[in-house]
Amino acid sequence: MKASSKGLLTQISQFWNMLDDLAENDPERYKNFIEQELKDGKQLCVDPEPQLCLQTKILNPKEKILFINLCQWKRIPAPQSATHPVPIRVGRPEDFTEASGSYTVIDVAYNPGVLQAAEKDQEIKDQLIKMAIHCIEERLHFTLAHSYHVTSFKIKGNIQRMKENLMGIKTDFTGFKEIMRTGDALEKIRSSAESELDHLPQVLLTKNQASGKGRCLIEEISSSEIQVEVKKPAYELKVVKDQNEKPLKIELKIQLPGINSVSLCELSVSEVDLLIEVSEKYRLYLNLPESVNTEMTTAKFVRNKSVLFITMPLA
């Protein structure tokens, strides 16, 4: 048996031990956890539905053909109203090579209701496409050609690949199995299924009434406009180096006053950035100074001090 398989079996065993401990020490919380997982399970397993595929070009950092798969996905929440933010999920870029040449694919997901409304209004559809391009540029630090054309096919690749990409299974979800060990594993199992979902943080858009006809224009807003009550927690980040000044790992210490349970924390780590959201109290998004190994990343919550320690070995 490979070492990775043994490690996975150990983690599964630890998870079941965690469930046993929770059932014995906090039956009510155990019951609520299981009921919620059963309730959400069906929706969490649903596949995204491709709607259209755009072909454009990455101009920077390296010129390459880009396909953007635009899909609807029930896992993406609907906006609360016409004046509330419209969530969008941007997947990680994946590179492919065929006989005809190399290209990159990026998957973007909206709530089904959002795209269904766009099908009835070309202006809304154009806005959604433009904002998808804008979000890709902002989150991935790409420069894209803003001219594009809609391909004759709805998806570049296949639905399973798209789903894995949007869920972050090949990066964050795998890394998550190493992120939260022992007592923290159960507390993070739910957030791994829901978020992070994306190794990239969600981008939120607002939807405003533009005219008497009720047309909707979409513009990007900052997280401070979405949840003004959320605070940025105090933190300390340092890059640990060896005796030859070679960077080895990143250590992050986050102060979370008033938080006494890691179940309130939602952590998402990718190779280049980190997002932590704590209930409705704290939110911290960081671009990491070095690329990290998500599979070896670990986290520990010290309850009596309300401090979260995250250790991220470099890739």
Side-chain angles (χ1 to χ4, degrees):
M1 183 180 293
K2 295 182 179 180
S4 59
S5 298
K6 292 181 179 179
L8 178 58
L9 290 176
T10 299
Q11 293 155 14
I12 292 173
S13 178
Q14 290 175 345
F15 171 66
W16 285 115
N17 289 336
M18 235 61 61
L19 284 179
D20 291 339
D21 291 342
L22 188 65
E24 181 178 350
N25 299 320
D26 195 342
E28 185 63 26
R29 186 165 158 226
Y30 173 81
K31 177 183 177 183
N32 292 339
F33 177 84
I34 295 300
E35 288 180 348
Q36 189 63 49
E37 291 305 305
L38 290 174
K39 179 180 178 180
D40 294 345
K42 183 176 181 180
Q43 180 169 314
L44 293 178
C45 292
V46 70
D47 289 338
E49 298 180 24
Q51 294 299 296
L52 57 90
C53 180
L54 310 173
Q55 181 174 338
T56 182
K57 184 182 293 185
I58 298 174
L59 301 178
N60 189 56
K62 182 179 180 180
E63 188 167 315
K64 187 179 293 188
I65 294 174
L66 171 65
F67 292 96
I68 302 174
N69 289 324
L70 202 62
C71 71
Q72 63 180 34
W73 201 17
K74 291 181 179 179
R75 292 187 63 171
I76 306 301
Q80 297 179 35
S81 72
T83 59
H84 278 77
V86 178
I88 176 177
R89 174 71 62 194
V90 178
R92 67 184 184 281
E94 292 189 286
D95 296 323
F96 299 90
T97 300
E98 296 179 353
S100 57
S102 61
Y103 58 88
T104 299
V105 176
I106 298 176
D107 304 301
V108 176
Y110 288 100
N111 177 269
V114 173
L115 287 183
Q116 288 167 12
E119 286 299 317
K120 302 176 183 178
D121 191 318
Q122 186 61 42
E123 183 177 341
I124 295 178
K125 179 184 288 188
D126 291 342
Q127 289 289 336
L128 291 176
I129 291 173
K130 290 177 181 178
M131 289 313 302
I133 292 174
H134 174 78
C135 292
I136 290 171
E137 289 184 310
E138 179 173 294
R139 294 300 174 184
L140 302 178
H141 307 293
F142 286 171
T143 300
L144 305 185
H146 285 209
S147 59
Y148 62 86
H149 76 269
V150 179
T151 66
S152 58
F153 44 86
K154 287 188 175 183
I155 180 175
K156 187 69 171 179
N158 59 71
I159 293 177
Q160 184 60 32
R161 184 211 59 79
M162 174 190 283
K163 183 178 181 180
E164 291 178 354
N165 182 290
L166 291 170
M167 290 181 68
I169 287 177
K170 293 183 179 179
T171 52
D172 288 336
F173 186 76
T174 302
F176 160 79
K177 290 182 289 191
E178 292 288 345
I179 289 174
M180 289 289 131
R181 297 175 184 269
T182 62
D184 292 343
L186 177 59
E187 308 293 356
K188 293 302 297 176
I189 196 73
R190 183 168 175 75
S191 65
S192 73
E194 295 181 347
S195 68
E196 354 261 186
L197 266 143
D198 103 298
H199 72 295
L200 294 175
Q202 269 195 352
V203 178
L204 295 178
L205 310 176
T206 56
K207 196 174 184 182
N208 298 315
Q209 299 300 327
S211 70
K213 296 181 180 180
R215 288 188 177 275
C216 298
L217 296 180
I218 302 174
E219 60 181 4
E220 186 173 10
I221 65 174
S222 68
S223 60
S224 61
E225 293 176 284
I226 300 167
Q227 293 181 322
V228 296
E229 73 279 12
V230 175
K231 298 179 181 179
K232 183 178 181 179
Y235 69 92
E236 298 176 18
L237 185 149
K238 66 178 181 179
V239 178
V240 179
K241 301 179 181 179
D242 64 15
Q243 58 184 5
N244 297 319
E245 294 299 307
K246 178 182 178 181
L248 297 177
K249 61 184 177 181
I250 296 173
E251 292 182 345
L252 179 63
K253 176 183 177 182
I254 307 173
Q255 303 283 350
L256 302 171
I259 302 301
N260 57 15
S261 174
V262 75
S263 64
L264 301 176
C265 305
E266 293 188 6
L267 174 65
S268 178
V269 181
S270 77
E271 292 182 356
V272 296
D273 57 14
L274 172 147
L275 173 68
I276 180 168
E277 295 177 295
V278 185
S279 186
E280 295 183 351
K281 295 184 178 181
Y282 301 106
R283 184 180 191 276
L284 178 64
Y285 172 69
L286 296 174
N287 285 308
L288 301 175
E290 304 279 351
S291 295
V292 301
N293 185 334
T294 59
E295 294 189 9
M296 297 301 294
T297 296
T298 60
K300 180 180 180 181
F301 183 72
V302 181
R303 183 176 302 175
N304 61 349
K305 294 184 179 181
S306 297
V307 176
L308 180 64
F309 293 92
I310 304 172
T311 302
M312 297 166 278
L314 300 189

